[in-house]
Amino acid sequence: MRSSVSKVVALAAAGALVLAACSSDKTSKGAANETSSDGKTVIDTFTPSDSSTNLTTNAVTKIMSDKFKIQFRWQTTTYDAGPAKEKRQIALASGDYPDLFFLIPWVDAFTQAEVLKLGQQGVAVPLEDLIKENAPNIQKVLDSNKEYKEMATAPDGHIYALPQWADCFHCTYPDKLWINSAWLKKLGLAVPKTTDDLRNVLEAFKTKDPNGNGKADEIPMTTDVQDSSLIAYLMNAFAYDPVGANNGVRSLLTLQGDKVVTPVTSDQWKEGLKYIHGLYKDGLIDQAAFTQNAQALQAQGNDPKAVKLGSVPVLWPGIFVQLDSKDGRDKQYDSVPPLTGPEGKSYTGYNHPTSTGYTFMLTNKASKEAQVAAIKMLDWIYSDEGQMITNMGPEGVGWTKPAAGDIALDASTKPLYKPVQNAPKNISWGALGQYNNTLAFRNAQVTPKDIYSGAGLERRLWDATKQYEGHVDKSQWFPQAFMWPDPSLSGEIATLQTNLDTYVNQNQLAFITGSKNIDTDWDAYVKGLESTGMPRYLEINQQAYDKYKSGSK
């Protein structure tokens, strides 16, 4: 889940743990148990690691190792989703895979189709009995959270892998636009309410030198390809643009009553693309918005020569500008509520649950001892104490208990913890540990009233998100994350989804940039969708939805 960290491409930290003396206890049942010289169970663990983390020396690693008698042997990969998934797939294809896949949703989580395949092949170990016998916190969540149980339980009744559960309020409404309010004030402009208003504002940003340096160096709107909600934010003024069940990938599906349909062939979608193309053609959308990475966007936002960014459609402002910057430029940006389009529509995307994909999977390489130790570790992560330590680090280092006068993010909630600002690096597992990150837990965070301070970020995002909350049309929302495909069709639907996503993305970009003419090439685009498999994709998802509605898998 991307709640308060940027999707930054980072090199993995090297860190294979070399064990001193190890011994193997060969048994007749399952994999052999390997122990370290001090009697801890060795668990080969595949996980992403960013450049600021060394999991071997990490503070939480030591806590987990001592508390659950685990010696981790890390196999790390990068936070860059493409290479991370490739490394995971190579490990599985070669048969040289670990005891435990311990992943991050927005980096390299398993899909439902992958979980089903690995479960049927016997690679993924069923977890339900392990949980019943060793993990009361996990069992309590499965019993009390119907949606989580639906996500976790495969059609054959087994739990082959667990997803995280993160009630991230601001992530639930990801299609935001952040605009330079200082520029609006300087130019005497109001916050845009309609698509025409936004065009007028962007034109003023481009032509009226709002940064005051006498140069035409302002960028009215830009983003990066990893974090962009550009098309979605603008499209929602014309047609509901659904959020996908795979992190970072838009959905192609909506509902009309109980009928599964796609919005990407509608006249409203066509008009939305025309509007976006018009902004791009007139230089109001930066050409780099569709090609640059997160580092390049940060470089634009933090340019020491001048403040250059007028508006950026991303989840939160730290993606494009350094928070608590010396010149205070980060405080210039405020969210713009959903725009109203020419037909009076004003939607926003609905991302529920905010953490998708499967991130905890034990394999048949794990000994029984390793399985028990790993599930007990995960069970502790499901507790409030486990959440605080795993996500922020040890008490007194990554967080403290509330002091007199401290207020929680939700002022009606008793504060539970206070994150330490500018805490040392390598003291937590961060996003690796957000398994029972409930709304009640998140709302109990001590958060000051100053929304523009680094410590007040969550309140800034809370306040911003309130502007989007009322623009969701849940009647069109397709509950994809809670529905499992027919196991016999999992491979087919995965292929269809990949092909259709690629086709739609490529054509949308062509229409926006003008390499295809939307008036003359639209019919061919719609016909191409049919030949790429859209009718079959809708048919399979309709069957899955009908089963979901009937309460069966």
Side-chain angles (χ1 to χ4, degrees), residues 22 41 54 152 296:
C22 295
T41 296
N54 183 328

Side-chain angles (χ1 to χ4, degrees), residues 407-420:
I407 58 171
L409 178 61
D410 182 347
S412 64
T413 298
K414 181 181 179 180
L416 179 64
Y417 58 93
K418 183 176 184 178
V420 171

